[in-house]
Amino acid sequence: MKIRRLLIANRGEIAVRIIRACQELGITACAVYADADATALHVRLADEAYHLGPTAPAESYLSIPRLLAVAKEANVDAIHPGYGFLAENADFAAAVAKARWRWVGPPAAIIRRLGSKTAARKLAQAVKIPMVPGATTPVRSIPTAGKLAETIGYPVLLKAVAGGGGKGMRIVRTAPELSRAFDLAQGEARNAFGNGDLYLEKYIDAPHHIEVQILADHHGHIIHLGERECSVQRRHQKLIEETPSPFLTENTRRAICRAALRLMKAARYRNAGTVEFLVDHQQRFYFLEVNTRIQVEHPITELVTGIDLICEQLRISAGEPLRWSQRGIHNSGHAIECRICAEDPAQNFIPTPGFVTDFMAPHGHGIRIDCGIVAGSTIPMEYDPLVGKLCTWGATREVARAKMVRALQELRISGTITNVHFHLNALQHPLFLKGNYSTQFVERERASLLTAPIPNASHAVIVAAIAKALHQTDPTHAASAAPHPSAWKISARQQGVQHGMEFF
Ligand code: ADP
């Protein structure tokens, strides 16, 4: 059945991404928005936009009744949930199917089975995929957790069964720390997911986070599109991703992709999904979890495969067969993604919502930017601080990396602090250059990653600023010393200084 009208149950850059795919496929893109997003970019770009409710996520982007009511009002025939919010909510997927709309994702039963980390671990165990030693059922009391921790050996990691975004996760290094960590993790899991169930697994020291992109249709065809390395993280959340992984050997790459396919075949998976693994320094890999949705970092896979994953998701939901066999997939070159967030790396990455006074995107060969903001946008404090994703592609890793450094230097966001200079430091760090960094990279290299940026981006602006200063004391001198800075540059520089920005 062809999709004619699609409701995008999300906001920000992923809503923009899906709107663009709809418009390319001739599908009417219906956006939704909360009060704070009334003038947001996704609302402006959509073909139609529907008000959901107040800014609070619970009353808007997380409200199943509101979204269903709006889907009815908009007379859509499919719903794309994006990522985050209700993207992995099986009840929402089931309600959408019951109302006879297409859900752009796997069926509710698959989300339910793979969304529970313990249920997913059971399935991985059944198909003989290596797993981090630990529980395959929830651990309901501190004494039970203590016994299991003694068996597998400290350090261990307490994790939320319903987990996501690194929430409800606590490292426990010694037995006396266990009971406090258990209470804290349980409280955090209850707050974040409305479910305080925990389980426990061995804490792997400084692993790599490697994940495999899967596509599966409703006709029994399933393929993988290679792996992504996502080990640059803060608070167990990704900041930089690249593909292919500079760390994996060819043997490990083949084995991990085969394992991911085996698991998703066993789950009878449909649509786009990702199987996540941890890989230790000896290249031993362990199943971590499955994400039953499109991932933030999907563009880097698109760049190396040439496949538009959002368009494929929509085609699969419409019942079309996959257009590639595994043999038809040829990854070429190297791609890197930097997540651009309104957050302050120097203040433990706290979000820095605010008003974007100026914005200039980088351009050029091999540069892609997926963004939810423009100059004049407000970044609300109620939502995720991710405002965009800067991706580069190059024939080799070094070309992609050099393009990223150049693109980050060209990117201008004024009005609020962002993590752009953190990315510049990371991309030029010796460990990143070597391609030899683990999930402990940010923690261990904190000092060098968080240092103030060298303002090499804009020599011209510095010269202009000096000229301006000279002009104020001696206008005749300034005219000969350097060209006048444009009004834009002066205003951007003032904004930068005023808001402690990184780039001037
Ligand atoms: P979430 O679903 O909350 O994102 P994941 O299970 O995907 O949680 O793990 C997120 C990150 O936490 C991983 O990429 C890794 O950095 C870290 N992590 C998770 N499990 C372990 C483990 N057993 N040992 C070491 N690090 C882990």
Side-chain angles (χ1 to χ4, degrees):
M1 186 197 82
K2 200 167 156 35
I3 297 173
R4 293 170 303 107
R5 296 173 60 80
L6 180 86
L7 191 84
I8 299 140
N10 216 302
R11 65 177 300 281
E13 72 83 20
I14 190 62
V16 170
R17 169 74 186 88
I18 299 164
I19 289 165
R20 288 179 173 147
C22 285
Q23 292 171 344
E24 286 160 18
L25 291 174
I27 296 170
T28 304
C30 303
V32 294
Y33 64 95
D35 286 346
D37 280 336
T39 59
L41 183 61
H42 76 279
V43 174
R44 288 197 241 165
L45 291 181
D47 299 311
E48 295 171 19
Y50 295 82
H51 181 238
L52 264 184
T55 301
E59 295 175 74
S60 50
Y61 301 107
L62 283 174
S63 167
I64 295 177
R66 274 306 294 148
L67 283 160
L68 295 177
V70 167
K72 200 166 170 199
E73 183 191 343
N75 191 26
V76 296
D77 34 37
I79 297 186
H80 196 309
Y83 56 70
F85 291 125
L86 294 169
E88 293 182 279
N89 186 305
D91 293 341
F92 185 39
V96 168
K98 195 166 165 220
R100 301 196 163 274
W101 295 309
R102 301 262 166 158
W103 169 258
V104 185
I110 293 178
I111 299 179
R112 211 162 261 135
R113 184 168 192 198
L114 296 175
S116 153
K117 295 201 184 202
T118 43
R121 276 169 67 83
K122 263 193 198 147
L123 182 64
Q125 195 176 41
V127 293
K128 301 198 166 29
I129 292 175
M131 270 190 319
V132 183
T136 47
T137 51
V139 177
R140 301 211 189 270
S141 73
I142 294 169
T144 318
K147 268 190 211 136
L148 184 58
E150 291 298 339
T151 313
I152 60 180
Y154 287 94
V156 295
L157 194 62
L158 283 168
K159 296 173 84 168
V161 167
K167 294 196 185 83
M169 213 182 271
R170 277 277 184 298
I171 302 170
V172 189
R173 299 196 182 274
T174 58
E177 292 170 28
L178 182 69
S179 81
R180 189 176 137 72
F182 194 95
D183 289 340
L184 285 172
Q186 197 168 49
E188 212 172 285
R190 238 185 239 129
N191 279 345
F193 315 111
N195 172 356
D197 282 354
L198 299 180
Y199 74 106
L200 183 151
E201 63 188 31
K202 178 85 185 151
Y203 179 70
I204 309 284
D205 183 45
H208 287 246
H209 175 117
I210 305 281
E211 59 186 32
V212 179
Q213 177 68 55
I214 300 289
L215 269 186
D217 65 15
H218 292 276
H219 307 275
H221 306 128
I222 183 163
I223 56 174
H224 75 78
L225 302 182
E227 88 286 3
R228 296 182 285 254
E229 161 99 46
C230 314
S231 300
V232 180
Q233 302 182 348
R234 47 104 175 82
R235 289 195 294 271
H236 307 301
Q237 292 172 345
K238 302 158 191 168
L239 282 173
I240 301 176
E241 300 94 344
E242 61 178 315
T243 181
S245 162
F247 167 72
L248 289 194
T249 63
E250 267 315 307
N251 277 347
T252 315
R253 173 172 295 118
R254 263 196 302 274
I256 216 167
C257 290
R258 269 205 302 265
L261 264 185
R262 199 158 75 241
L263 181 81
M264 295 298 248
K265 276 182 189 164
R268 296 176 189 282
Y269 198 79
R270 303 279 182 275
N271 216 288
T274 300
V275 188
E276 298 189 333
F277 297 88
L278 293 179
V279 184
D280 71 14
H281 62 281
Q282 291 178 290
Q283 302 262 328
R284 285 179 300 210
F285 65 86
Y286 307 94
F287 168 73
L288 193 59
E289 66 162 347
V290 177
N291 286 140
T292 56
R293 54 169 165 84
I294 195 73
Q295 301 267 100
V296 174
E297 57 273 23
H298 75 274
I300 55 171
T301 298
E302 297 184 322
L303 287 172
V304 295
T305 59
I307 294 175
D308 183 322
L309 284 167
I310 304 289
C311 286
E312 288 319 307
Q313 282 197 294
L314 293 167
R315 290 195 176 103
I316 290 168
S317 295
E320 290 184 29
L322 269 184
R323 296 179 302 155
W324 294 270
S325 64
Q326 191 63 59
R327 282 208 192 135
I329 303 300
H330 302 289
N331 295 15
S332 100
H334 197 100
I336 305 177
E337 171 181 280
C338 288
R339 297 189 184 197
I340 309 300
C341 300
E343 64 184 25
D344 186 356
Q347 305 291 325
N348 208 16
F349 298 94
I350 55 159
T352 50
F355 181 70
V356 180
T357 52
D358 208 345
F359 177 82
M360 189 178 86
H363 297 285
H365 180 262
I367 311 282
R368 166 175 170 175
I369 185 154
D370 288 40
C371 226
I373 56 162
V374 288
S377 291
T378 298
I379 305 166
M381 60 183 276
E382 288 80 2
Y383 311 126
D384 196 280
L386 178 81
V387 295
K389 301 169 329 198
L390 181 57
C391 298
T392 59
W393 180 90
T396 63
R397 181 173 191 262
E398 182 44 29
V399 172
R401 193 198 66 83
K403 277 182 196 289
M404 182 61 87
V405 171
R406 194 271 290 165
L408 286 164
Q409 287 171 340
E410 204 173 302
L411 174 64
R412 299 279 184 270
I413 306 173
S414 314
T416 185
I417 295 170
T418 69
N419 60 355
V420 169
H421 84 261
F422 163 85
H423 285 306
L424 269 170
N425 288 340
L427 268 282
Q428 296 173 95
H429 191 284
L431 290 177
F432 192 90
L433 287 171
K434 273 195 226 151
N436 181 17
Y437 56 86
S438 76
T439 55
Q440 290 301 301
F441 175 59
V442 174
E443 200 49 48
R444 291 183 183 169
E445 303 301 321
R446 192 165 268 268
S448 53
L449 293 175
L450 304 186
T451 51
I454 307 154
N456 59 348
S458 224
H459 296 281
V461 175
I462 293 166
V463 171
I466 294 166
K468 184 176 175 242
L470 288 172
H471 179 71
Q472 277 160 357
T473 49
D474 176 5
T476 50
H477 184 168
S480 59
H484 279 287
S486 69
W488 178 85
K489 279 178 180 168
I490 294 171
S491 121
R493 181 167 57 86
Q494 283 164 349
Q495 287 297 341
V497 172
Q498 192 179 330
H499 296 280
M501 289 302 291
E502 59 272 21
F503 41 78
F504 288 116

